[in-house]
Every structure is written in structure tokens, then in C-alpha cells.
Amino acid sequence: GESVGLHLPTLSVQEGDNSIINCAYSNSASDYFIWYKQESGKGPQFIIDIRSNMDKRQGQRVTVLLNKTVKHLSLQIAATQPGDSAVYFCAESRNDYKLSFGAGTTVTVRA
Amino acid sequence: DTEVTQTPKHLVMGMTNKKSLKCEQHMGHRAMYWYKQKAKKPPELMFVYSYEKLSINESVPSRFSPECPNSSLLNLHLHALQPEDSALYLCASSQKEADTQYFGPGTRLTVL
């Protein structure tokens, strides 16, 4: 079926280390990808996005990589901080209103 | 400014009550969305409004009734809900289709 998924449901990372969160998708027609961060009791917060005509995009401390050959998306967080502890969702869109979300990865930052 | 606001923050209602959730954005976005999110799950799309017209209804039960009074406001009217409808209800907006969706903080709904 067509879905967006994350490889691991949880990730524990030492403060100051880099984090990598992975996501696989199955629909080759997907052309827009977004990463959201959701802290406990809050709504999803936009982090970074990428369109299918790119393979890398950088923001502040975050980088998204898109590998269309293997249908893989990743989010890299540099120098992970305690405030980065949250659930991270990847989402994909096929040039319409619908966003398909992955299951989410819970990131815990160890002090 | 990428702010979407939602009221109330929390809502407890009985199965015979009628209540409404409200959402507002002043970013000039022309698409607005309602999502339902259960604990430890991703958001699930319920409704999409585009240019104040209902564009998508994801087979949502009629006890949920959306309304878009104008381009900045989105309501979700609730009537005769079931305990299993308890969830976080999220509103989002985007400039247009296939564009970045910005979410509000959500309304935590409990149905007794």
C-alpha cells in the first residue's frame, strides 16, 4: 500500500550528539515531504520541508535528505539539545491537500 | 507569523451535549483543515476547506459538523459524541494545496 513510515519508534541520544531520524515512503508519486516536531501537549510544529526536485535542504541545526531511488527521507539534528526531545513525524504529499503521516519517532535526549 | 489559534484548549462534554471547537488564522491562508489525533498516533485528516468551501470529508461521522464562516475562521460542531471520540483535535492551515500546513495547539476533548 501507499504509506509513509519511520524505521524506529524511539531514539535515545546523548546531549550534544547528532541525531538521525529515518523515514521510508512507498509512493513514488510523492513530491513534497515535511518533518514536524510535536512536543507533549502541543500541536505539530513545522521543522523543514523538501520537494522532490531536491535531495538535500538545510535549516538551523537541521538537515533533510531525500533519496528518491530508495524512497528514503531522513532528518539530521546537529548538536542535539534537551529541547529537541519530542515526537518527530515525517509526512508526504502528492500535490494535493492530503498529508500522509508516518507513525512517528520519539526522541529522548539524555543529559 | 505562522500562528494558528484554537479554543478551547480543553473540553469535557457528555454524550448528549452540543459544543463547538474554534480555529483562527490571520496568515491569509486559503486552505484550512481539521485533524483528529489519538494518543501516540499521527494526526488523521477529517476535513479540508479550500476557499471557504468543503473540499474533502474523510468519511467522518455526521456527529462532527465543520463550518467555515470566513477565510480566517474554522469551526467544528460536535453533537452526540461517543467516548471513543475523545482525542486531540488539531486545526491547520496552508497557503494553498500541496503547501506547508501549519498546526494550531489543539483542543483536548474528553467525552464522558
Side-chain angles (χ1 to χ4, degrees):
Chain A
E2 300 171 355
S3 64
V4 179
L6 288 168
H7 291 306
L8 293 173
T10 61
L11 176 66
S12 180
V13 61
Q14 185 69 36
E15 182 179 356
D17 287 353
N18 296 335
S19 303
I20 299 177
I21 307 166
N22 295 304
C23 181
Y25 65 97
S26 58
N27 189 347
S28 57
S30 299
D31 59 3
Y32 181 50
F33 304 87
I34 310 171
W35 281 100
Y36 287 96
K37 171 187 179 183
Q38 187 171 23
E39 297 175 86
S40 181
K42 297 184 179 180
Q45 175 189 358
F46 169 81
I47 302 174
I48 193 167
D49 59 359
I50 189 167
R51 296 202 181 266
S52 58
N53 61 351
M54 302 174 70
D55 53 20
K56 180 179 180 179
R57 194 157 185 231
Q58 288 184 288
Q60 188 176 16
R61 279 201 309 120
V62 295
T63 300
V64 56
L65 298 176
L66 176 63
N67 185 331
K68 294 181 286 293
T69 302
V70 295
K71 300 190 188 68
H72 183 266
L73 185 72
S74 68
L75 177 70
Q76 300 177 5
I77 305 174
T80 311
Q81 302 169 358
D84 295 326
S85 292
V87 179
Y88 289 81
F89 291 102
C90 63
E92 57 95 8
S93 172
R94 295 152 230 174
N95 199 31
D96 59 20
Y97 289 105
K98 294 190 180 184
L99 276 182
S100 293
F101 285 85
T105 291
T106 300
V107 173
T108 303
V109 181
R110 305 189 306 272
Chain B
D1 182 16
T2 56
E3 188 177 28
V4 176
T5 59
Q6 291 187 243
T7 56
K9 192 169 184 177
H10 300 277
L11 179 63
V12 179
M13 61 186 291
M15 289 189 284
T16 59
N17 292 157
K18 284 186 181 181
K19 297 287 184 183
S20 296
L21 310 185
K22 297 187 183 299
C23 174
E24 190 167 4
Q25 57 87 14
H26 293 288
M27 297 177 278
H29 288 176
R30 303 317 301 263
M32 296 186 75
Y33 311 75
W34 280 115
Y35 287 83
K36 173 182 177 180
Q37 187 178 28
K38 300 286 267 186
K40 300 189 186 301
K41 297 290 187 182
E44 298 174 3
L45 182 65
M46 300 174 71
F47 302 104
V48 180
Y49 271 81
S50 175
Y51 291 86
E52 301 163 47
K53 288 184 169 35
L54 184 63
S55 175
I56 295 175
N57 177 342
E58 290 287 277
S59 302
V60 179
S62 60
R63 58 186 183 269
F64 295 92
S65 176
E67 178 198 19
C68 190
N70 60 55
S71 60
S72 300
L73 294 174
L74 186 66
N75 298 322
L76 186 63
H77 302 298
L78 314 173
H79 175 53
L81 293 194
Q82 304 297 311
E84 59 264 29
D85 296 321
S86 298
L88 181 68
Y89 287 84
L90 294 162
C91 175
S93 71
S94 67
Q95 180 64 36
K96 59 186 188 306
E97 66 181 75
D99 205 356
T100 306
Q101 293 184 24
Y102 295 94
F103 285 82
T107 293
R108 175 72 60 189
L109 174 68
T110 303
V111 182
L112 301 176

